[in-house]
Amino acid sequence: MNQDNYYFDPRVAAAYDASPELPVDDVPFYVDLALEAHAAGQSVLELGCGTGRVTIPIAEAGAEVVGLDGSPAMLEIARRKAPNSDNPRWVQADMRDFDLGRQFGLAIIPFRSFLHLLTPEDQLSCLGHVHTHLLADGRLALNFFVPDPRLLELAHQDIDRRSFISRVERRMRLRHVTQDEMQHLLDLAGFDVEALHGWFDRRPFDDTSTEMVWLARKRP
């Protein structure tokens, strides 16, 4: 996955957890979904798990979880934060193309990681692999920005952002996705939308929302 090696930089990985850009409300949302899967005897897959910011609280809540990420630097920190444990299990892989040889009751892609997929083909490939790795009637949850129409018009959805983490300036490319486009991608990949929330408290999505929080279910 082409992220301009942003999250592969050990300096970025080392400072990631202290970044002021990280949300504060998403962890309980994803933990609650994970516990619903756990109650049904199912495990959880997180794509773009990074340093385990969401993965580790899921494991601490008692659910079995696998964290997948393409960055060795991020996963090294995640392993240090949760040492000597079989849960979480960490996997280095590309979210566009992976084969874990098992299925899950829930897959999650927190903190806008889906936007690092820079083409519709990559996005659909990711969703297709998620679909394959979900049990029948399994669920997918993910979130990302509501795109600014002015930026989309200027950049054709491929947004080149600058980010500063621990005084390290790196360029980070994102492909913002509209509501209609995401609905179409999910449909093509074999998902039915269960809910679209406007924030992690599950408030309805409306014209004032700044975040799209999607919950979809694998189509039979």
Side-chain angles (χ1 to χ4, degrees), residues 109 114-115 123 127 140 142-144 175 177-189 191 193 196 212 214 216:
I109 314 177
F114 187 75
L115 301 184
Q123 293 165 348
L127 293 174
L140 165 65
L142 71 160
N143 69 280
F144 48 77
R175 185 180 190 277
V177 182
T178 67
Q179 178 182 350
D180 288 345
E181 185 177 14
M182 190 63 196
Q183 175 80 55
H184 184 57
L185 286 169
L186 288 167
D187 183 57
L188 287 176
F191 288 95
V193 175
L196 173 57
M212 284 187 270
W214 294 87

Side-chain angles (χ1 to χ4, degrees), residues 17 27 31 46 49 51-63 65 77-83 87-88 90:
D17 287 343
V27 173
V31 168
E46 180 183 353
C49 68
T51 63
R53 182 184 64 87
V54 178
T55 332
I56 293 171
I58 287 175
E60 290 175 341
V65 58
I77 293 172
R79 291 187 178 99
R80 290 204 302 262
K81 288 165 62 177
N87 188 38
W90 308 106

Side-chain angles (χ1 to χ4, degrees), residues 14-202:
Y16 179 79
D17 287 343
S19 170
E21 298 178 4
L22 294 176
V24 296
D25 298 336
D26 63 337
V27 173
F29 171 78
Y30 286 111
V31 168
D32 285 348
L33 290 175
L35 289 178
E36 291 176 21
H38 176 67
Q42 302 165 347
S43 53
V44 180
L45 170 64
E46 180 183 353
L47 303 183
C49 68
T51 63
R53 182 184 64 87
V54 178
T55 332
I56 293 171
I58 287 175
E60 290 175 341
E64 181 186 0
V65 58
V66 173
L68 182 150
D69 201 277
S71 167
M74 300 290 271
L75 288 175
E76 180 180 351
I77 293 172
R79 291 187 178 99
R80 290 204 302 262
K81 288 165 62 177
N84 304 320
S85 173
D86 294 330
N87 188 38
R89 177 190 165 208
W90 308 106
V91 175
Q92 183 183 338
D94 189 325
M95 69 166 66
R96 299 170 302 180
D97 185 11
F98 60 93
D99 183 0
L100 304 181
R102 57 180 293 193
Q103 290 183 306
F104 302 81
L106 172 70
I108 63 173
I109 314 177
F111 194 42
R112 305 144 189 165
S113 295
F114 187 75
L115 301 184
H116 289 292
L117 302 169
L118 299 182
T119 68
E121 292 77 17
D122 284 350
Q123 293 165 348
L124 192 57
S125 181
C126 172
L127 293 174
H129 282 80
V130 170
H131 189 277
T132 298
H133 283 78
L134 284 175
L135 296 165
D137 212 33
R139 302 164 93 190
L140 165 65
L142 71 160
N143 69 280
F144 48 77
F145 301 109
V146 174
D148 185 330
R150 295 167 299 177
L151 287 178
L152 296 183
E153 185 175 338
L154 290 171
H156 305 289
Q157 294 190 333
D158 190 348
I159 310 298
D160 187 356
R161 302 183 66 208
R162 291 177 182 267
S163 183
F164 292 83
I165 295 182
S166 187
R167 300 183 181 179
V168 180
E169 180 186 2
R170 299 300 300 269
R171 290 188 168 224
M172 176 172 59
R173 296 178 66 198
L174 302 174
R175 185 180 190 277
H176 286 206
V177 182
T178 67
Q179 178 182 350
D180 288 345
E181 185 177 14
M182 190 63 196
Q183 175 80 55
H184 184 57
L185 286 169
L186 288 167
D187 183 57
L188 287 176
F191 288 95
D192 293 323
V193 175
E194 184 174 313
L196 173 57
H197 304 297
W199 195 248
F200 301 103
D201 57 6
R202 306 195 188 210

